[in-house]
Amino acid sequence: MTTTTYKRSIHIDAPVETVFDHVEDPRNFYAALAALSPEDPPKLTDIDTKPEGVGSTYQWTFHLWSLLYIGGTMTREEYVPNERIVDHSSTGPVWTFTFEPDPDGTTLSLAMELSTKVPLLDKLEAAIFSKGDQDLDAILGSFKKAIEA
């Protein structure tokens, strides 16, 4: 199995609890993803949240290159309040959010990991479907703007 991982961080002028409460809501993640494609943002449906976090699911669709819609199911695999959230897409990517207090607020980190069984397919998929660190910077910037507003 081969894996491609992108990871970025941003400082947010807000306490960890505030940042976590915002990020844990999948609607806010997809609002941040909309910054990548504002003319045709991804859509969320069938949100099923669990009180303990783990096992929460939601459906997503995304218009790919104005040709077709792709979609899948996100499942929350890890949920440690004010520390870590891991969401795994049925299409492969794993999104990991980590929250760390810093002297002036919170450092929010986001990693996107894409693993495939076929060697180098992860690199091809990453090249076709994302801009790597640039996408993560845009997502984190959207979170920062929303939380600090």
Side-chain angles (χ1 to χ4, degrees), residues 47 66 85:
I47 300 170
S66 300
I85 295 171

Side-chain angles (χ1 to χ4, degrees), residues 40 45 67 77 109 123:
D40 193 8
T45 60
L67 298 174
E77 293 184 340
S109 298
K123 304 262 186 255

Side-chain angles (χ1 to χ4, degrees), residues 91-93 114-116 120-130:
T91 59
L114 181 60
S115 298
T116 58
L120 301 178
L121 184 59
D122 57 309
K123 304 262 186 255
L124 179 62
E125 287 181 19
I128 291 172
F129 296 111
S130 79

Side-chain angles (χ1 to χ4, degrees), residues 17-51:
E17 297 81 8
T18 301
V19 176
F20 187 89
D21 288 348
H22 183 84
V23 172
E24 77 173 323
D25 186 336
R27 288 175 285 262
N28 293 329
F29 177 47
Y30 278 79
L33 281 173
L36 305 178
S37 180
E39 65 283 346
D40 193 8
K43 313 267 185 299
L44 257 187
T45 60
D46 301 325
I47 300 170
D48 179 20
T49 57
K50 306 293 185 208

